[in-house]
Amino acid sequence: MVEREVAQRIFAKEFNDSTLNIDPGKQVDNNSIYTPNFLITPIGTKVNRVFVVGVVTEVDNIGTDNNIWRARIVDPTGAFVVYAGQYQPEASIFLSTVEIPAYVALVGKARAYIPEDGNVYVSIRPEEINVVESYIRDQWLVDTAELTLDRIDTYSKAISTELKGSDLYDYLVQNNVPFDFAEGITLSLGYYHTGEDYIEELKTAIKDCLESIDVESFETSSDEPDIEEFLIEIMKDLDEGKGVDYGELIDLAQEKGVSEQTVEDAVSSMLSNGKCYEPKIGIIKIVS
């Protein structure tokens, strides 16, 4: 069984600036068909799957048989292009019926199209997409800003070492940088040669992003349940004494507009802070 890659929280600017595509399918390797392809961003993020939240502003039917939909999902740094066709039937139905504009949360696969002219066009193929409230978008902006700034900090330290290739990779791993990110940084520096100018540009975009949040509205969003409280209420309703099936929890949360990745992150947090535990694999139970 092939384990799914983590869905990265990433702003549209960093995603759209990515032109380095690692496609194992083009390598002569019998195992490469089981290896995911990745976009490598200018600051070294390895992206196979993404979790994004934004405003869907455009939806177009571009298929000759009415089976391909293209949408634009906007965050304050730019727009993600999303394509859904016959292999994404639920997403296609969603895009064909969604009322524009709407806040949506999307988990999907990153894709790169490289025509003969050599340009790189990136997009997302949705795995799931749901309408969400504005406070979910605001929380995503804050979380994504924090994660992106952490990645920028690590990348800046990598630049300062003046190391390259395997020497840089070994240095990063020895300094507790995750293997995937260490590899991404090493590849990125060799390909983009990203410098401080781009880093400052990305920091400015993040600053503008955070300034776009309605702080008063965000602070009063405590009237809305946070995701952990929301999941705990669902688990209380479902639990008949032996715990809750994790898959059932995810399915019900998705029906209410919460993405699978958000549920996974929240459950991981609750497990680590002792709010719930696993009496057996695949079963989650609240600590009473």
Side-chain angles (χ1 to χ4, degrees):
M1 181 177 179
V2 179
E3 184 177 349
R4 290 200 301 175
E5 295 292 328
V6 172
Q8 300 281 2
R9 286 170 169 81
I10 185 170
F11 287 121
K13 175 174 174 53
E14 183 184 352
F15 184 76
N16 291 330
D17 287 343
S18 304
T19 58
L20 175 56
N21 184 52
I22 306 300
D23 185 357
K26 293 183 179 179
Q27 301 173 9
V28 182
D29 181 349
N30 290 334
N31 295 319
S32 66
I33 60 172
Y34 301 109
T35 306
N37 67 298
F38 289 93
L39 281 175
I40 308 296
T41 79
I43 60 168
T45 312
K46 283 183 69 176
V47 182
N48 173 257
R49 300 171 69 238
V50 296
F51 169 47
V52 303
V53 183
V55 181
V56 57
T57 59
E58 297 177 28
V59 176
D60 297 303
N61 185 339
I62 62 172
T64 55
D65 296 322
N66 299 325
N67 62 352
I68 301 178
W69 294 86
R70 179 178 60 200
R72 285 169 57 86
I73 297 177
V74 175
D75 74 19
T77 74
F80 298 95
V81 177
V82 177
Y83 290 98
Q86 61 179 324
Y87 299 111
Q88 299 83 32
E90 293 181 0
S92 296
I93 292 171
F94 177 90
L95 293 176
S96 69
T97 58
V98 66
E99 294 186 10
I100 298 172
Y103 290 108
V104 298
L106 176 148
V107 175
K109 287 284 188 72
R111 289 288 181 263
Y113 170 62
I114 307 175
E116 292 182 359
D117 62 12
N119 290 321
V120 179
Y121 301 92
V122 295
S123 62
I124 302 172
R125 292 294 175 90
E127 296 172 352
E128 58 186 83
I129 181 170
N130 297 285
V131 172
V132 296
E133 300 293 335
S134 61
Y135 78 93
I136 296 290
R137 192 287 304 261
D138 290 343
Q139 186 62 60
W140 178 85
L141 291 179
V142 173
D143 292 344
T144 305
E146 181 179 359
L147 291 168
T148 306
L149 289 171
D150 285 346
R151 294 196 295 263
I152 288 173
D153 182 59
T154 302
Y155 195 87
S156 294
K157 290 176 180 176
I159 293 176
S160 69
T161 68
E162 298 185 353
L163 297 172
K164 296 180 180 179
S166 60
D167 291 337
L168 175 60
Y169 176 82
D170 291 342
Y171 169 84
L172 293 170
V173 170
Q174 289 166 9
N175 283 271
N176 301 315
V177 176
F179 295 114
D180 276 358
F181 192 26
E183 181 184 6
I185 290 174
T186 304
L187 291 169
S188 178
L189 268 174
Y191 178 82
Y192 297 103
H193 309 293
T194 303
E196 290 298 332
D197 288 347
Y198 181 81
I199 288 174
E200 289 305 314
E201 185 181 328
L202 188 54
K203 285 182 177 179
T204 299
I206 294 170
K207 178 175 178 289
D208 293 343
C209 225
L210 295 176
E211 289 177 348
S212 73
I213 297 174
D214 183 339
V215 176
E216 182 177 351
S217 173
F218 185 61
E219 289 177 347
T220 59
S221 69
S222 56
D223 294 336
E224 301 281 359
D226 69 29
I227 186 60
E228 291 188 8
E229 292 175 355
F230 170 75
L231 293 176
I232 286 172
E233 289 304 313
I234 293 179
M235 291 165 70
K236 286 179 179 178
D237 290 340
L238 293 177
D239 193 352
E240 296 180 352
K242 296 183 179 180
V244 176
D245 180 87
Y246 189 34
E248 186 177 357
L249 176 63
I250 290 175
D251 289 343
L252 189 54
Q254 287 177 343
E255 290 176 7
K256 297 180 181 294
V258 180
S259 75
E260 179 178 349
Q261 186 64 45
T262 301
V263 175
E264 290 176 355
D265 291 344
V267 169
S268 294
S269 174
M270 290 191 291
L271 288 169
S272 64
N273 62 31
K275 291 183 179 180
C276 65
Y277 66 102
E278 287 185 284
K280 63 180 183 178
I281 295 176
I283 300 297
I284 309 295
K285 190 169 178 59
I286 302 169
V287 175
S288 54

